[in-house]
Amino acid sequence: MASRTADPNLIGQPGSRALIPTPAAVLDLDAFDRNVAKMAARAKSAGLALRPHSKSHKTSAIAHRQLAAGAVGICCAKLAEAEAMAAAGIGAILVTSPIAGAAQAQRAAALAQAVTDFRIVVDHADGARELAAAALGPIQVLIDVDPGMGRTGVHDAPQAVEVFRAIEAQPSLKLIGVQCYGGHWQHMEGANERAAAVADGMAYLSTVIAALRQAGAEIQVVTGGGTGSFAADAAQAVLTEVQPGSYAFMDREYRDALKDDPDGAFEQALTIAATVISANHPKWVTVDAGLKAFATDGPLPVAVTPKFADSSYRFFGDEHGRLMRPEGQSATRGERVDFVPPHVDPTLDRYDVIHVVRGDVLVEIAPIEARGASQ
């Protein structure tokens, strides 16, 4: 467990940010609000519905803020995430991963009854039949289309039509559209490279949609896209809805890939706060944030506290990190250091709460209700 919550009595107290136990996920509320407003404005300008992906935060307080800023709903990667969000009062949810088996179909059917606007993707005829067998009422479904990753989704137009026929045969299922999410496009370096990849993907998706419509399907919703591909998605004008997630927080993976591109013009709103716990070595200090504090599937964390901005970080074990001493400056035990997380989604999944701050003041402690909800 990477952190415990700060004392709720600290909320609203000047200087309380410095008293948050570390390592901790800390969200700058002003930067977050600007990020959320910027993406909402981009989507509105492009004529796209905005459905942020909650796999980035797994936190209902964040989802509620996104909805209040104009989002039409949220995405959840797994049923357990959707269950947590539904329990917290989120009334418009799309589950973006296909499910398999009667037990999962029963959970999806229960969500369809509990959530005002519940949607789920399918990519196989058997999945449609399982959902229908479990249905307690109408269930809205979308056909998941593989963008070329080979992870999930129908592989080609004939498979899409086959799944449509299976959905059409079930009175309890209502097809409302298709999903096509190019995860492999999101961190491609260079706006031109991303635009070319998205153009190819959307051209392919258009052929699938055409085949479905020719077969009699009504395709109202075309959903997909992410933080890194937004400009290219908007330019292609195939999607009706976008699913960005990391824009609200940002992380090093997106920083490295997007650089000065418009898709990267979001602030680093979320950081991981750490404390120097040992400063005995002449060349480096040790902080209390190691392998258990950050996701390790991407680049290394980067210190953003000005004093340590040029100091390189290395993992120093499960509990510790090594941070080089700043050139020409002292570094002492007890100092606080903020880091940009390498990959924000799995990093936040290590924490119980998000500590929301404004300046040096702790203003909210938001529980990450869907932490570990991978089922």
Side-chain angles (χ1 to χ4, degrees), residues 116-138:
T116 303
D117 181 4
F118 177 77
R119 307 169 177 199
I120 188 167
V121 303
V122 294
D123 72 351
H124 195 279
D126 287 347
R129 286 188 279 268
E130 287 166 353
L131 273 176
L136 304 169

Side-chain angles (χ1 to χ4, degrees), residues 276-298:
V276 175
I277 59 169
S278 181
N280 296 334
H281 198 279
K283 293 184 179 180
W284 58 72
V285 298
T286 300
V287 298
D288 60 358
L291 290 164
K292 292 179 181 177
F294 301 101
T296 58
D297 62 331

